Amino acid sequence: MSDTVLTAIAAGLAERSPFDPAAHLRLTIEGRHIGWLPRAHAALIAHASGPASGPVLGPEQHGAVALLPGCSDFAQRAAALATLARTLAEAGHVRGWRDELFAVTPALDAPPYAVIERAAARFLGLLTFASHMNGVIAGERALWISRRSPTKATDPGMWDNLVAGGMPHGSHPLETLIRECDEESGIPPALAARAEAHGVIEVLREIPEGVQWEHVFVYDLALPADFVPYNRDGEVAEHRRIAPAALLAIMADRAMTVDATLVTLDALRRRGWTGDAD
């Protein structure tokens, strides 16, 4: 039974994670790879109004294209990208405006080249960062998970890790996690700070908005048996206390987001709980 469930989960992940490099351009700034721009989106913005110093995109060279090749500093690029994001939103190509800035960067520890409105990041296929946390109930073979609000811009109504959040410009993985713990599940900062880091999972897949290229920082937090999470920011519809077998069934039914499925499987495998589907 467990092999059947795990096979179904793997098949679901594969089907929900297509990526054809030939359909994308490597997006660069100063020769550094910062994104996977869909060719269809490149065609949409090729003639968009760029900064006074030049076009939004340079010419294609060996499957790569430079973003804002005429810009030379952070402020100039950020201003140009703010204009581009607003233009795309007004044309209906970008939805779910957040008024939140993401870094435009080749790596978390690299100085960012610019910032951009979060809603536009996946249209351009930019590398983004997120923190996800498995809420493990201390002394039990059980976890807490959350269901995303039906009004969320992405993956509405789907199951998620207990806490999950994108990393805005100027933040770092644990800081992001502590903030999201408080907002999404009512976990106080002192408890959230005890979360254990378990590496990074890379997600690269085509999605309706463009491309999700994300480095997901994985955390586990042992929660007291009597702790009950509660949402404070309206982004979570419900929380559920769940045993591994039922959780594996949710993942097999593709009712959990792709990134949360990967993070949850990581936790279950580390604990030897994937056999609970038997």
Side-chain angles (χ1 to χ4, degrees):
M1 176 68 171
S2 61
D3 287 345
T4 301
V5 171
L6 292 174
T7 297
I9 293 172
L13 286 170
E15 289 182 19
R16 292 190 288 165
S17 304
F19 187 76
D20 177 11
H24 300 80
L25 294 163
R26 285 182 292 106
L27 192 63
T28 67
I29 292 181
E30 296 183 0
R32 301 289 301 276
H33 186 194
I34 58 159
W36 286 99
L37 177 65
R39 288 182 178 273
H41 290 183
L44 286 172
I45 65 176
H47 303 294
S49 298
S53 54
V56 174
L57 299 176
E60 180 181 345
Q61 295 182 329
H62 309 294
V65 64
L67 178 65
L68 302 173
C71 293
S72 59
D73 61 37
F74 182 101
Q76 193 178 26
R77 292 189 190 100
L81 290 176
T83 299
L84 176 63
R86 184 59 68 183
T87 299
L88 291 171
E90 291 173 353
H93 300 309
V94 166
R95 299 178 177 83
W97 196 270
R98 305 287 191 91
D99 285 320
E100 182 178 352
L101 297 176
F102 271 10
V104 179
T105 182
L108 184 62
D109 59 357
Y113 290 114
V115 290
I116 190 170
E117 157 62 33
R118 176 176 179 170
R122 290 181 175 177
F123 182 91
L124 297 176
L126 297 174
L127 174 62
T128 59
F129 308 92
S131 294
H132 280 234
M133 189 189 80
N134 297 294
V136 184
I137 301 171
E140 299 183 25
R141 294 172 76 92
L143 295 86
W144 281 102
I145 58 174
S146 65
R147 188 192 291 274
R148 297 167 67 85
S149 165
T151 61
K152 291 279 283 187
T154 57
D155 297 324
M158 296 197 72
W159 288 104
D160 209 338
N161 296 118
L162 177 59
V163 174
M167 200 176 307
H169 169 61
S171 189
H172 58 76
L174 184 58
E175 179 185 359
T176 297
L177 183 72
I178 291 172
R179 180 180 61 254
E180 295 292 339
C181 277
D182 177 44
E183 295 175 355
E184 293 188 351
S185 296
I187 300 171
L191 177 56
R194 300 177 191 170
E196 298 178 350
H198 288 282
V200 179
I201 293 174
E202 181 176 24
V203 178
L204 178 60
R205 66 190 189 111
E206 298 167 13
I207 57 175
E209 301 97 307
V211 172
Q212 181 186 9
W213 183 24
E214 195 152 77
H215 288 178
V216 180
F217 289 77
V218 179
Y219 291 88
D220 289 359
L221 178 63
L223 294 166
D226 61 352
F227 176 81
V228 178
Y230 62 95
N231 180 245
R232 301 199 314 108
D233 64 3
E235 295 190 2
V236 174
E238 65 173 298
H239 294 97
R240 180 176 296 182
R241 188 181 185 124
I242 192 166
L247 184 48
L248 288 162
I250 284 175
M251 291 188 282
D253 287 342
R254 308 181 187 186
M256 179 174 267
T257 68
V258 167
D259 37 9
T261 298
L262 291 168
V263 171
T264 303
L265 275 177
D266 178 71
L268 296 182
R269 283 171 172 155
R270 281 188 276 105
R271 286 169 170 74
W273 291 356
T274 53
D276 286 26
D278 290 325

